[in-house]
Amino acid sequence: MQRLKRGILIAIEGIDGCGKSTLARNLHATLTRQSIATVLTKEPGGSPLGKELRALLQQQEIPLDPKAEYLLFAADRAQHFAQLIIPALYNKQLIISDRMGDSSIAYQGYGRGLDIAMIKTINAWSMQDIRPDLIVYVRIEPDTAWQRIWARNEALTTFEQEGIDFLQRLAHGFDTLFESQQNVIILDGNDTPDILTQKAATAIISWINTQQLISQ
Ligand code: TYD
């Protein structure tokens, strides 16, 4: 195993149907093959409490109040950081999280219309002021994502049921959020899973080398 000088936190973000979860899995496998100790996790649902919260969020018959919805994601995040992310960073591992705080800005902020400054404040609090080192944003047109979601032929999640307008607000949210941010790797979700993995892995490894984070 290659030893890292410190833990590294990477979030994968994007709208439903962009291919982010496949990329997270493939990246985990690729980086592990390159002898980097990598942990794969997700929000919501990275901790045992988070799994219960994820089920709660997906099973509501009466729509949740947007603030209640956000606070459940924030509770998941607080537990995820305390139980999993912070210990893994302490152990100098590389963590890949399928979604993190920025999903709340896109979904509950741009999607549901909650105050974005408030979300940023509570996100920082629940994340103990830790920010991801890198964000991989898998960008895709809402129309393409919508077609993929339908083609899966699976039951739609609460958010997928919101329809194409909602997806458009999310895409606009992510674009606005990430266009001026330094540490974001923007990938084209139309690329094949293999190409996406290769591009993300190359960008991550080159960042690690530039930061000189491998112990010699
Ligand atoms: P899930 O099936 O776990 O995820 P995914 O589509 O990412 O594989 O469903 C999680 C849903 O919750 C997804 O539609 C995005 C949404 N979400 C929020 O609305 N806010 C958040 O803060 C997070 C982390 C996710």
Side-chain angles (χ1 to χ4, degrees):
M1 276 288 157
Q2 306 205 57
R3 290 218 328 272
L4 294 174
K5 289 185 187 159
R6 64 167 175 87
I8 299 171
L9 182 57
I10 301 177
I12 318 273
E13 296 282 6
I15 61 176
D16 297 277
C18 70
K20 161 190 71 48
S21 302
T22 308
L23 174 63
R25 277 197 305 275
N26 288 345
L27 255 185
H28 175 248
T30 303
L31 294 174
T32 305
R33 262 200 309 277
Q34 308 219 1
S35 293
I36 298 176
T38 309
V39 178
L40 176 63
T41 184
K42 66 179 302 195
E43 288 189 11
S47 68
L49 172 77
K51 288 192 176 57
E52 293 189 42
L53 292 172
R54 181 168 179 270
L56 253 182
L57 280 156
Q58 286 174 347
Q59 284 161 11
Q60 295 304 312
E61 283 174 23
I62 300 169
L64 284 177
D65 172 77
K67 288 179 186 156
E69 179 184 273
Y70 168 64
L71 290 170
L72 289 175
F73 282 112
D76 166 73
R77 190 159 296 135
Q79 187 65 24
H80 190 213
F81 269 72
Q83 190 173 346
L84 200 132
I85 303 238
I86 292 174
L89 285 174
Y90 186 78
N91 285 327
K92 302 186 179 173
Q93 288 173 300
L94 183 149
I95 303 148
I96 296 172
S97 185
D98 182 351
R99 297 194 184 282
M100 232 161 42
D102 292 321
S103 276
S104 283
I105 299 180
Y107 282 75
Q108 281 65 50
Y110 286 89
R112 299 284 198 224
L114 291 186
D115 181 53
I116 288 170
M118 181 65 92
I119 295 178
K120 286 188 175 169
T121 303
I122 299 175
N123 272 356
W125 191 51
S126 59
M127 293 160 76
Q128 304 193 31
D129 288 319
I130 294 169
R131 288 161 169 269
D133 291 291
L134 286 177
I135 294 162
V136 179
Y137 172 35
V138 187
R139 196 172 180 282
I140 195 148
E141 287 302 316
D143 286 341
T144 313
W146 189 240
Q147 282 163 20
R148 287 187 187 172
I149 291 168
W150 276 100
R152 279 181 198 156
N153 231 340
E154 287 170 8
L156 298 184
T157 66
T158 314
F159 297 96
E160 290 164 354
Q161 283 166 20
E162 293 287 332
I164 184 87
D165 293 2
F166 190 74
L167 270 185
Q168 276 160 353
R169 290 209 294 284
L170 303 179
H172 167 71
F174 278 125
D175 283 350
T176 312
L177 192 59
F178 292 145
E179 72 190 354
S180 56
Q181 217 170 295
Q182 292 285 332
N183 60 339
V184 182
I185 299 163
I186 301 181
L187 299 179
D188 181 353
N190 293 301
D191 281 342
T192 63
D194 279 354
I195 293 187
L196 275 175
T197 309
Q198 214 176 66
K199 285 187 178 166
T202 305
I204 291 169
I205 289 166
S206 115
W207 179 85
I208 292 176
N209 289 332
T210 321
Q211 302 285 314
Q212 301 185 326
L213 289 179
I214 307 264
S215 293
Q216 297 305 327

Short mmCIF file of all heavy atoms in Angstrom, two decimals, residues 44-72:
data_model
loop_
_atom_site.label_atom_id
_atom_site.label_comp_id
_atom_site.label_asym_id
_atom_site.label_seq_id
_atom_site.Cartn_x
_atom_site.Cartn_y
_atom_site.Cartn_z
N PRO A 44 -27.26 10.11 1.25
CA PRO A 44 -27.49 9.63 2.60
C PRO A 44 -27.18 8.14 2.69
O PRO A 44 -27.16 7.46 1.67
CB PRO A 44 -28.99 9.89 2.79
CG PRO A 44 -29.56 9.73 1.41
CD PRO A 44 -28.52 10.26 0.49
N GLY A 45 -26.92 7.65 3.91
CA GLY A 45 -26.82 6.21 4.11
C GLY A 45 -25.44 5.65 4.36
O GLY A 45 -25.25 4.45 4.30
N GLY A 46 -24.45 6.52 4.68
CA GLY A 46 -23.09 6.02 4.92
C GLY A 46 -22.89 5.40 6.29
O GLY A 46 -21.94 4.66 6.50
N SER A 47 -23.77 5.70 7.21
CA SER A 47 -23.67 5.15 8.57
C SER A 47 -24.94 4.33 8.84
O SER A 47 -25.92 4.46 8.12
CB SER A 47 -23.59 6.28 9.60
OG SER A 47 -24.82 6.98 9.65
N PRO A 48 -24.95 3.50 9.91
CA PRO A 48 -26.18 2.75 10.22
C PRO A 48 -27.38 3.69 10.44
O PRO A 48 -28.47 3.45 9.92
CB PRO A 48 -25.81 2.00 11.50
CG PRO A 48 -24.32 1.83 11.42
CD PRO A 48 -23.80 3.07 10.74
N LEU A 49 -27.17 4.79 11.18
CA LEU A 49 -28.28 5.75 11.35
C LEU A 49 -28.70 6.30 9.98
O LEU A 49 -29.89 6.43 9.67
CB LEU A 49 -27.86 6.92 12.25
CG LEU A 49 -28.90 8.05 12.31
CD1 LEU A 49 -30.07 7.66 13.21
CD2 LEU A 49 -28.28 9.36 12.80
N GLY A 50 -27.69 6.59 9.15
CA GLY A 50 -27.96 7.14 7.83
C GLY A 50 -28.81 6.22 6.97
O GLY A 50 -29.64 6.67 6.18
N LYS A 51 -28.61 4.88 7.14
CA LYS A 51 -29.42 3.94 6.36
C LYS A 51 -30.88 4.05 6.77
O LYS A 51 -31.78 3.99 5.93
CB LYS A 51 -28.91 2.50 6.56
CG LYS A 51 -27.58 2.29 5.87
CD LYS A 51 -27.18 0.82 5.80
CE LYS A 51 -25.89 0.67 5.00
NZ LYS A 51 -24.74 1.46 5.53
N GLU A 52 -31.10 4.24 8.07
CA GLU A 52 -32.49 4.41 8.53
C GLU A 52 -33.07 5.73 8.02
O GLU A 52 -34.21 5.80 7.61
CB GLU A 52 -32.55 4.35 10.05
CG GLU A 52 -32.18 2.97 10.59
CD GLU A 52 -32.44 2.84 12.08
OE1 GLU A 52 -33.49 3.32 12.55
OE2 GLU A 52 -31.58 2.27 12.77
N LEU A 53 -32.24 6.78 8.05
CA LEU A 53 -32.72 8.08 7.58
C LEU A 53 -33.02 8.04 6.08
O LEU A 53 -33.99 8.61 5.61
CB LEU A 53 -31.68 9.17 7.88
CG LEU A 53 -31.47 9.50 9.36
CD1 LEU A 53 -30.30 10.46 9.55
CD2 LEU A 53 -32.74 10.12 9.95
N ARG A 54 -32.18 7.32 5.34
CA ARG A 54 -32.36 7.21 3.89
C ARG A 54 -33.70 6.53 3.60
O ARG A 54 -34.47 6.97 2.74
CB ARG A 54 -31.21 6.40 3.30
CG ARG A 54 -31.27 6.24 1.81
CD ARG A 54 -29.95 5.69 1.26
NE ARG A 54 -30.06 5.52 -0.16
CZ ARG A 54 -30.48 4.41 -0.74
NH1 ARG A 54 -30.84 3.36 -0.01
NH2 ARG A 54 -30.57 4.34 -2.06
N ALA A 55 -33.99 5.45 4.38
CA ALA A 55 -35.26 4.75 4.18
C ALA A 55 -36.42 5.68 4.53
O ALA A 55 -37.41 5.77 3.79
CB ALA A 55 -35.29 3.50 5.05
N LEU A 56 -36.27 6.43 5.63
CA LEU A 56 -37.32 7.38 6.04
C LEU A 56 -37.59 8.41 4.94
O LEU A 56 -38.73 8.71 4.61
CB LEU A 56 -36.81 8.17 7.25
CG LEU A 56 -37.36 7.90 8.62
CD1 LEU A 56 -36.73 8.84 9.63
CD2 LEU A 56 -38.87 8.08 8.61
N LEU A 57 -36.49 8.92 4.36
CA LEU A 57 -36.62 9.96 3.34
C LEU A 57 -37.31 9.43 2.09
O LEU A 57 -37.95 10.18 1.35
CB LEU A 57 -35.23 10.50 2.99
CG LEU A 57 -34.68 11.52 3.99
CD1 LEU A 57 -33.15 11.59 3.93
CD2 LEU A 57 -35.26 12.90 3.71
N GLN A 58 -37.16 8.13 1.85
CA GLN A 58 -37.73 7.57 0.61
C GLN A 58 -39.14 7.03 0.79
O GLN A 58 -39.77 6.65 -0.17
CB GLN A 58 -36.81 6.47 0.08
CG GLN A 58 -35.56 7.05 -0.56
CD GLN A 58 -34.57 5.98 -0.97
OE1 GLN A 58 -34.70 4.83 -0.58
NE2 GLN A 58 -33.58 6.38 -1.73
N GLN A 59 -39.61 6.96 2.05
CA GLN A 59 -40.89 6.27 2.27
C GLN A 59 -42.03 7.17 2.72
O GLN A 59 -42.99 6.68 3.27
CB GLN A 59 -40.70 5.20 3.36
CG GLN A 59 -40.00 3.96 2.85
CD GLN A 59 -39.43 3.15 4.01
OE1 GLN A 59 -39.75 3.41 5.16
NE2 GLN A 59 -38.61 2.17 3.69
N GLN A 60 -41.89 8.46 2.54
CA GLN A 60 -42.94 9.35 3.05
C GLN A 60 -44.17 9.34 2.16
O GLN A 60 -44.07 9.54 0.96
CB GLN A 60 -42.40 10.78 3.14
CG GLN A 60 -41.29 10.94 4.14
CD GLN A 60 -41.69 10.48 5.52
OE1 GLN A 60 -42.75 10.86 6.01
NE2 GLN A 60 -40.86 9.66 6.13
N GLU A 61 -45.34 9.08 2.77
CA GLU A 61 -46.57 9.17 1.97
C GLU A 61 -47.00 10.62 1.86
O GLU A 61 -47.42 11.10 0.82
CB GLU A 61 -47.67 8.33 2.62
CG GLU A 61 -47.45 6.86 2.31
CD GLU A 61 -48.41 5.96 3.05
OE1 GLU A 61 -49.49 6.42 3.44
OE2 GLU A 61 -48.05 4.78 3.23
N ILE A 62 -46.91 11.34 2.99
CA ILE A 62 -47.22 12.77 2.97
C ILE A 62 -45.88 13.48 2.75
O ILE A 62 -44.92 13.23 3.49
CB ILE A 62 -47.83 13.21 4.32
CG1 ILE A 62 -49.11 12.43 4.55
CG2 ILE A 62 -48.08 14.72 4.35
CD1 ILE A 62 -49.68 12.55 5.93
N PRO A 63 -45.81 14.36 1.72
CA PRO A 63 -44.51 15.00 1.45
C PRO A 63 -43.96 15.70 2.69
O PRO A 63 -44.70 16.30 3.46
CB PRO A 63 -44.85 16.02 0.36
CG PRO A 63 -46.14 15.58 -0.22
CD PRO A 63 -46.87 14.81 0.83
N LEU A 64 -42.65 15.57 2.88
CA LEU A 64 -42.02 16.21 4.04
C LEU A 64 -41.95 17.72 3.82
O LEU A 64 -41.77 18.18 2.69
CB LEU A 64 -40.58 15.69 4.19
CG LEU A 64 -40.39 14.30 4.76
CD1 LEU A 64 -38.91 13.95 4.76
CD2 LEU A 64 -40.95 14.25 6.18
N ASP A 65 -42.03 18.45 4.91
CA ASP A 65 -41.73 19.88 4.84
C ASP A 65 -40.27 20.00 4.40
O ASP A 65 -39.41 19.24 4.89
CB ASP A 65 -41.92 20.48 6.24
CG ASP A 65 -41.45 21.91 6.28
OD1 ASP A 65 -42.17 22.79 5.79
OD2 ASP A 65 -40.31 22.15 6.77
N PRO A 66 -39.93 20.92 3.47
CA PRO A 66 -38.54 21.01 2.97
C PRO A 66 -37.50 21.18 4.08
O PRO A 66 -36.40 20.62 3.99
CB PRO A 66 -38.56 22.23 2.06
CG PRO A 66 -39.97 22.33 1.60
CD PRO A 66 -40.82 21.84 2.75
N LYS A 67 -37.86 21.92 5.13
CA LYS A 67 -36.88 22.10 6.22
C LYS A 67 -36.66 20.79 6.96
O LYS A 67 -35.53 20.45 7.32
CB LYS A 67 -37.35 23.17 7.20
CG LYS A 67 -37.28 24.55 6.62
CD LYS A 67 -37.79 25.57 7.62
CE LYS A 67 -37.83 26.94 6.97
NZ LYS A 67 -38.79 27.84 7.61
N ALA A 68 -37.75 20.05 7.20
CA ALA A 68 -37.63 18.75 7.88
C ALA A 68 -36.79 17.82 7.01
O ALA A 68 -35.90 17.11 7.50
CB ALA A 68 -39.01 18.17 8.13
N GLU A 69 -37.06 17.86 5.70
CA GLU A 69 -36.30 17.02 4.76
C GLU A 69 -34.81 17.37 4.85
O GLU A 69 -33.96 16.48 5.02
CB GLU A 69 -36.82 17.26 3.33
CG GLU A 69 -36.10 16.47 2.27
CD GLU A 69 -36.62 16.85 0.88
OE1 GLU A 69 -37.61 16.24 0.45
OE2 GLU A 69 -36.04 17.76 0.25
N TYR A 70 -34.50 18.66 4.78
CA TYR A 70 -33.09 19.07 4.82
C TYR A 70 -32.43 18.64 6.13
O TYR A 70 -31.31 18.13 6.14
CB TYR A 70 -32.91 20.58 4.62
CG TYR A 70 -31.51 20.99 4.97
CD1 TYR A 70 -30.43 20.48 4.23
CD2 TYR A 70 -31.23 21.77 6.08
CE1 TYR A 70 -29.13 20.76 4.59
CE2 TYR A 70 -29.93 22.06 6.44
CZ TYR A 70 -28.87 21.55 5.69
OH TYR A 70 -27.58 21.81 6.05
N LEU A 71 -33.15 18.83 7.25
CA LEU A 71 -32.54 18.52 8.54
C LEU A 71 -32.27 17.02 8.70
O LEU A 71 -31.34 16.62 9.39
CB LEU A 71 -33.39 19.07 9.68
CG LEU A 71 -33.36 20.62 9.75
CD1 LEU A 71 -34.42 21.14 10.73
CD2 LEU A 71 -31.98 21.13 10.15
N LEU A 72 -33.06 16.18 8.02
CA LEU A 72 -32.76 14.74 8.04
C LEU A 72 -31.46 14.47 7.26
O LEU A 72 -30.63 13.68 7.70
CB LEU A 72 -33.92 13.93 7.46
CG LEU A 72 -35.19 13.86 8.34
CD1 LEU A 72 -36.31 13.13 7.61
CD2 LEU A 72 -34.88 13.15 9.66
#
